[in-house]
Amino acid sequence: MSILLCPCGSGENLKACCGLYLSGKAYPGTATSLLRSRYSAYATGNLTYLHQTWHPDTRPNLRAQDLVTQWTHLQIIRVKPGLKHSVAEFKALYRDGDQEREVREISLFKLYRKRWVYLQTCADWP
């Protein structure tokens, strides 16, 4: 039996890491763990989790065909934690044919109904 490593890059088994969140058995207690688990949701095509962890005011109408990107690596660059809002800058690598490309983003997370959710992309670091 092979062990599937978590896509978030923790080096842990998926089931013991972000898999706990993706399965609904637990919910991330920090914006950073939410960022990691959302990356894992993109990497594994977990549309339901992405929907549940996106603030309802900014949530797009994602469909399964929107999740076909082959994500390969997540690097969290910096995090500004807060009690009600947190900001994280990250770089995510993906395959585009035989090329590796990257997405770099500054994300705003908000505490909503006592749970961290993704709110939106920020243009600049606050």
Side-chain angles (χ1 to χ4, degrees), residues 31-33 35-36 75-81 85-91 104-109 118 120-122 125-126:
T32 303
S33 58
L35 168 60
R36 288 186 173 284
Q75 177 187 0
I76 297 176
I77 298 165
R78 57 184 167 168
V79 176
K80 183 178 180 183
H85 293 88
S86 288
V87 181
E89 182 176 4
F90 69 92
K91 178 170 62 172
R104 194 173 183 132
E105 182 176 309
I106 300 170
S107 296
L108 177 61
F109 298 89
Y118 171 78
Q120 63 191 28
T121 299
C122 299
W125 188 259

Side-chain angles (χ1 to χ4, degrees), residues 11-64:
E12 299 292 325
N13 176 312
L14 174 61
K15 286 185 179 182
C17 190
C18 292
L20 291 170
Y21 307 131
L22 300 178
S23 69
K25 293 179 181 174
Y27 199 87
T30 66
T32 303
S33 58
L34 179 66
L35 168 60
R36 288 186 173 284
S37 64
R38 284 179 54 83
Y39 174 84
S40 293
Y42 274 106
T44 61
N46 191 324
L47 187 62
T48 300
Y49 185 77
L50 290 169
H51 181 81
Q52 291 170 345
T53 59
W54 213 309
H55 193 282
D57 291 347
T58 58
R59 182 188 310 130
N61 186 20
L62 283 178
R63 300 168 312 210

Side-chain angles (χ1 to χ4, degrees), residues 106-124:
I106 300 170
S107 296
L108 177 61
F109 298 89
K110 180 179 181 178
L111 204 55
Y112 176 75
R113 296 185 178 171
K114 300 182 182 180
R115 291 187 169 194
W116 285 105
V117 293
Y118 171 78
L119 184 62
Q120 63 191 28
T121 299
C122 299
D124 297 306

